[in-house]
Amino acid sequence: IEQFALLGEYGEGMDLGRVLQRLRVRQALAQLPDRDRYIVYRLFWDEAPFEEVAKELGLSRRALYKRWEKIKQQLRGALQ
């Protein structure tokens, strides 16, 4: 029931399937460690360059790329 309270967040014109998919994405993201959620936020929503995010986290670009691939794999698994 709590999840349906979020329906108003997405507007009345959005179909239920899309709302439920967004809820699943939210739940999958919530399962990630804070650092991984930060990586998703910076790379996906902010569209920040890998070099910038790697520098922020004190990682090499290659290490960040490997971490990003693992995160995407985890999210895919959670959303299947």
Side-chain angles (χ1 to χ4, degrees), residues 11-30:
E12 294 177 19
M14 189 174 289
D15 69 81
L16 183 58
R18 286 189 58 170
V19 170
L20 293 176
Q21 180 64 19
R22 285 185 180 202
L23 290 172
R24 289 178 62 215
V25 169
R26 257 191 195 188
Q27 289 171 342
L29 288 169

Side-chain angles (χ1 to χ4, degrees), residues 15 18 28 35 48 59 62 68:
D15 69 81
R18 286 189 58 170
R35 186 175 176 138
L59 299 172
R62 181 175 170 83
W68 178 235

Side-chain angles (χ1 to χ4, degrees), residues 56-71:
E56 292 170 3
L57 296 172
L59 299 172
S60 69
R61 187 180 186 282
R62 181 175 170 83
L64 177 61
Y65 179 79
K66 285 182 176 183
R67 186 72 226 142
W68 178 235
E69 290 302 314
K70 287 180 182 180
I71 293 167

Side-chain angles (χ1 to χ4, degrees), residues 32 36 67 69-79:
L32 295 175
D36 289 352
R67 186 72 226 142
E69 290 302 314
K70 287 180 182 180
I71 293 167
K72 290 190 301 182
Q73 207 171 30
Q74 288 176 314
L75 291 173
R76 279 187 207 107
L79 294 171

